[in-house]
Amino acid sequence: MLLQDKVAVVYGGGGSIGGAAARAFAREGARVFLAGRTQAPLDKVAADIRAAGGTAETALVDALDEEAVGAFAGSVAGRAGGIDVSFNAIGVQDVQKPLLEISVEDFLQPIGVAARTQFLTTRAAVQHMIPRGSGVILMFGGSGPQTAHGLGGFKVALDAMEGIRRQWACEAGPYGVRVVTMVTGGVPESLPGDYPGRDGLEAALREPTLLKRTATLADVGDVAAFVASDRARTMTSATVNISCGAIVDH
């Protein structure tokens, strides 16, 4: 197993992306700690993991709350002996409108949310990774050079995450901690079944891909587990692009 005896923390663990990563981590042998703001979806993911023979625990944590994040990471490290993987997949509360129509508050909201949560959860994990000389920080939703009309501050928030990833990789690297961002270009499976215009959006996400398909939740989990494992030990300050060619690297 890729993550045998590893300890993995997943923020947004009850969501589709976080849940996919958590299930893959557990399948590969990790002890998984799911954090989120709503208990029911966390319990559903934990039940799936346990039914498949894995180990999962849940905790109600606001990943924007400095004290709560620090206490949660400290509790996990104290009970499990450390933290090997920290994955943050919470939503950034974006409001998508053209820049000429959006308010300053709505434009800045996803930028502030993304920067705050990624900084807090990364710092909390790195503090416990440094004494062990190893660890992996995974961020979800990194950006490429392209953008599109009407995204408000969403794309800027993704760009900010890339800057945060680079800075943490620079400062945590000497202690053996790797920092990597996953780029997907959109995962239609993550949309609610009743999402307005779902079919049209799925087609729009698929059209620019070179493979004429999009990443699935299983793809997200499989790649996340690989990147978190020692088989990817040479990868840091990097994006892992699973956009099927929708996002072309620099």
Side-chain angles (χ1 to χ4, degrees):
M1 293 185 184
L2 292 174
L3 300 174
Q4 187 66 51
D5 300 323
K6 300 288 189 182
V7 177
V9 171
V10 180
Y11 296 92
S16 55
I17 299 296
R23 292 180 180 93
F25 291 160
R27 184 191 68 224
E28 295 295 340
R31 180 178 176 184
V32 177
F33 290 82
L34 304 166
R37 294 190 299 176
T38 308
Q39 190 65 51
L42 293 174
D43 288 341
K44 173 63 169 63
V45 175
D48 290 345
I49 289 172
R50 294 171 189 143
T55 302
E57 298 181 41
T58 66
L60 290 178
V61 180
D62 181 350
L64 294 169
D65 184 317
E66 181 176 5
E67 184 175 342
V69 170
F72 171 65
S75 174
V76 171
R79 292 159 54 209
I83 297 174
D84 297 293
V85 182
S86 180
F87 182 69
N88 187 332
I90 78 163
V92 296
Q93 303 176 25
D94 53 299
V95 176
Q96 298 194 7
K97 291 182 179 180
L99 296 181
L100 288 174
E101 300 174 14
I102 196 169
S103 70
V104 173
E105 292 75 17
D106 285 346
F107 172 76
L108 292 175
Q109 179 167 281
I111 303 169
V113 169
R116 182 178 181 87
T117 189
Q118 295 295 343
F119 175 77
L120 289 178
T121 59
T122 299
R123 183 180 65 178
V126 168
Q127 289 174 340
H128 297 287
M129 293 173 174
I130 285 176
R132 309 176 78 190
S134 65
V136 180
I137 303 295
L138 277 176
M139 301 180 182
F140 182 83
S143 65
Q146 300 100 327
T147 189
H149 183 272
L151 295 183
F154 179 61
K155 175 62 166 56
V156 182
L158 300 183
D159 291 342
M161 283 174 52
E162 297 288 54
I164 293 169
R165 180 255 301 165
R166 294 186 186 100
Q167 193 66 36
W168 271 115
C170 175
E171 298 191 20
Y175 301 99
V177 178
R178 301 189 290 112
V179 188
V180 179
T181 310
M182 294 185 64
V183 182
T184 68
V187 182
E189 273 188 298
S190 68
L191 298 171
D194 58 352
Y195 188 87
R198 177 190 171 113
D199 291 344
L201 179 54
E202 182 172 353
L205 292 174
R206 184 173 58 250
E207 193 278 329
T209 67
L210 300 181
L211 299 178
K212 298 309 171 188
R213 57 182 171 83
T214 55
T216 65
L217 289 175
D219 292 328
V220 171
D222 289 345
V223 175
F226 169 75
V227 174
S229 77
D230 291 341
R231 292 188 185 180
R233 67 190 187 95
T234 58
M235 298 174 61
T236 192
S237 194
T239 57
V240 178
N241 188 334
I242 59 171
S243 71
C244 297
I247 297 174
V248 179
D249 292 338
H250 292 283

